[in-house]
Amino acid sequence: MKTIRLFDEDAFIKEFEAQVLSCEMQGKRFAVVLDQTAFFPEGGGQPADCGTLGGVPVLDVQEKEGVIFHFLKSALAGTVQGVLDWEKRFSRMQNHSGEHLVSGIIHRHTGADNISFSLSDTETTLAFNVPLSAELLAQVEREANAAVFEDVPIAARYPSAQELESLTYRSKLELTEHVRIVSIEGYDVCACCAPHCARTGQIGLIKIVQSESYKGGTKLWIQCGFRALEQYDMLLQQAKDISHLLCAKLERIAPAVEKLKGAKEQAEYDLVGLRRKRIAEAVAAVEPTAGNYLALCAFTGDELRLFAQGLKEKVGGIIVVLEGDDSSGYRYVISAKETEIMPLVKEANAALGGKGGGRDNMARGSFCAPLEQIKAFFAM
Ligand SMILES: [Zn+2]
């Protein structure tokens, strides 16, 4: 026996009473069938309703050939009270109804078909088979919100097979009967099985938050109602924080960030110049020698390499420059202008708990040994 779909008639039923017709173990869960239910089963891109049956949380709701199965951790019998997680359901209704409105208006402007729809508890996405310009989307958003302020009715019904044949609607199905048609007066007619708001005013603000090219068409992310409000709150707080950090007026934060970015780039450029100067000065301070050179220096990372590179003109033998200390170990750069260093590097790594290597007669790595031991190894 098909389950009576209370949400079909009235999407605003939050609590209901029902008779348990069957309760069977399926895997680790019980599959409960009721004579009637206000729980919408997963379908048409919308997740299953959440809530409780007889005080037991409903984990999932699925439909098979008109029979709706509620999945729970405990068994149920007799008459049970169903309670929907209304906050979740209403938010889904707002976003789902907003999607109809946006799709209907886009269809009217471009003839585009909606090729995908997905609704989670954080995100609503819809995709169309034609490219949609930013200008058109701005216009669509404006018209969709105007339709919300008009507060027109949203109605669902099952037209006769005869009427269905002549009816023009989006998401036209092969089916010739039992097709649920959802109409938003003056804006959209579409086949859909899910619960919607009763009037467009209940949708609240509709915001197209993002658009991307998708399979030759366009994918949109929208937020409606409470979710749009929550996102507005989040973004406003972010903007206020940035405004506070930059001491800039809220409406001038982008130019303030741009200015900051420019100043950062200049500072980085200046820093590179200063580093080069510091390295050149350090190289100039080294006495030229035909022998080897070993030093512990204040340079780190790439500066250490540049320092070793600079020393090639002043040191005839092997150059070993280090940074670090006995407790955390030493990072090294080993180089030489003429002498082949790689056999020595290999030997040093083995003797000083080191690792590393290189090319073009320049090696980088680390030693895990005290400075005295490193000095003794190179005997410099
Ligand atoms: Zn729908």
Side-chain angles (χ1 to χ4, degrees):
M1 199 175 84
K2 286 186 176 179
T3 312
I4 296 168
R5 303 157 70 92
L6 296 172
F7 51 82
D8 255 8
E9 283 302 307
D10 183 356
F12 283 79
I13 295 173
K14 304 175 186 74
E15 290 184 24
F16 64 99
E17 227 170 52
Q19 296 297 320
V20 175
L21 300 183
S22 71
C23 177
E24 286 172 12
M25 195 87 186
Q26 277 189 19
K28 286 182 177 171
R29 306 181 302 181
F30 291 91
V32 176
V33 175
L34 306 170
D35 59 342
Q36 56 177 8
T37 187
F39 279 88
F40 175 71
E42 184 185 357
Q46 181 159 331
D49 276 336
C50 302
T52 57
L53 274 180
V56 181
V58 174
L59 306 172
D60 191 15
V61 189
Q62 296 291 331
E63 178 183 349
K64 209 174 172 186
E65 289 161 0
V67 180
I68 295 175
F69 297 87
H70 308 74
F71 293 91
L72 296 88
K73 271 193 176 161
S74 315
L76 295 178
T79 305
V80 289
Q81 179 83 4
V83 181
L84 292 193
D85 179 335
W86 184 249
E87 200 180 311
K88 222 170 224 186
R89 158 69 95 75
F90 184 63
S91 171
R92 290 170 183 177
M93 279 163 45
Q94 286 186 314
N95 282 274
H96 194 141
S97 306
E99 180 272 325
H100 277 249
L101 206 44
V102 169
S103 294
I105 293 169
I106 288 174
H107 182 75
R108 190 181 65 203
H109 278 287
T110 64
D113 286 320
N114 187 324
I115 51 169
S116 89
F117 166 62
S118 158
L119 173 68
S120 75
D121 286 323
T122 52
E123 209 173 66
T124 305
T125 63
L126 44 157
F128 298 86
N129 57 351
V130 299
L132 304 169
S133 70
E135 294 73 27
L136 176 70
L137 290 175
Q139 190 183 340
V140 167
E141 185 181 271
R142 183 122 202 120
E143 287 178 23
N145 282 287
V148 168
F149 303 142
E150 263 183 69
D151 196 27
V152 297
I154 303 174
R157 64 196 181 90
Y158 289 91
S160 67
Q162 211 176 0
E163 194 195 338
L164 205 58
E165 218 184 311
S166 58
L167 195 67
T168 307
Y169 63 96
R170 292 191 305 109
S171 305
K172 192 129 185 171
L173 302 170
E174 297 288 313
L175 297 173
T176 51
E177 52 185 338
H178 299 305
V179 175
R180 187 166 181 261
I181 296 292
V182 176
S183 312
I184 305 179
E185 218 172 270
Y187 291 94
D188 189 42
V189 183
C190 181
C192 186
C193 57
H196 304 83
C197 294
R199 302 186 71 90
T200 54
Q202 293 162 342
I203 298 170
L205 178 70
I206 297 176
K207 187 72 202 157
I208 299 173
V209 292
Q210 197 184 334
S211 72
E212 266 178 22
S213 295
Y214 178 78
K215 294 183 178 176
T218 307
K219 185 172 180 175
L220 302 181
W221 280 256
I222 64 167
Q223 296 282 24
C224 305
F226 279 119
R227 287 192 204 173
L229 180 65
E230 280 158 19
Q231 192 175 45
Y232 185 94
D233 280 345
M234 183 273 287
L235 293 173
L236 184 63
Q237 192 54 54
Q238 289 284 316
K240 279 182 176 173
D241 288 349
I242 295 171
S243 151
H244 186 72
L245 284 167
L246 299 177
C247 298
K249 281 184 178 174
L250 200 55
E251 61 275 22
R252 299 285 304 160
I253 56 174
V257 169
E258 192 143 12
K259 197 174 154 194
L260 186 71
K261 208 175 152 214
K264 181 178 166 276
E265 279 164 8
Q266 183 60 50
E268 279 169 354
Y269 180 80
D270 293 348
L271 187 63
V272 168
L274 283 172
R275 277 180 174 157
R276 279 200 189 127
K277 198 170 158 234
R278 203 159 69 101
I279 292 164
E281 281 168 1
V283 170
V286 172
E287 287 297 321
T289 171
N292 298 333
Y293 176 87
L294 182 143
L296 177 66
C297 22
F299 295 122
T300 58
D302 214 41
E303 291 177 8
L304 199 63
R305 182 185 64 79
L306 292 170
F307 180 49
Q309 183 73 33
L311 288 176
K312 275 186 177 181
E313 297 310 314
K314 308 193 87 172
V315 177
I318 290 162
I319 300 156
V320 182
V321 285
L322 305 162
E323 63 101 354
D325 53 51
D326 278 5
S327 60
S328 66
Y330 294 89
R331 268 67 61 199
Y332 68 73
V333 174
I334 301 174
S335 186
K337 196 171 182 184
E338 306 290 345
T339 322
E340 172 56 50
I341 60 156
M342 290 311 166
L344 178 69
V345 169
K346 221 172 171 183
E347 225 177 285
N349 280 339
L352 302 167
K355 54 182 180 185
R359 58 194 174 108
D360 300 332
N361 223 28
M362 167 91 67
R364 301 176 77 163
S366 60
F367 292 135
C368 190
L371 186 60
E372 287 313 312
Q373 202 183 324
I374 298 171
K375 278 183 175 171
F377 176 84
F378 289 100
M380 291 163 181

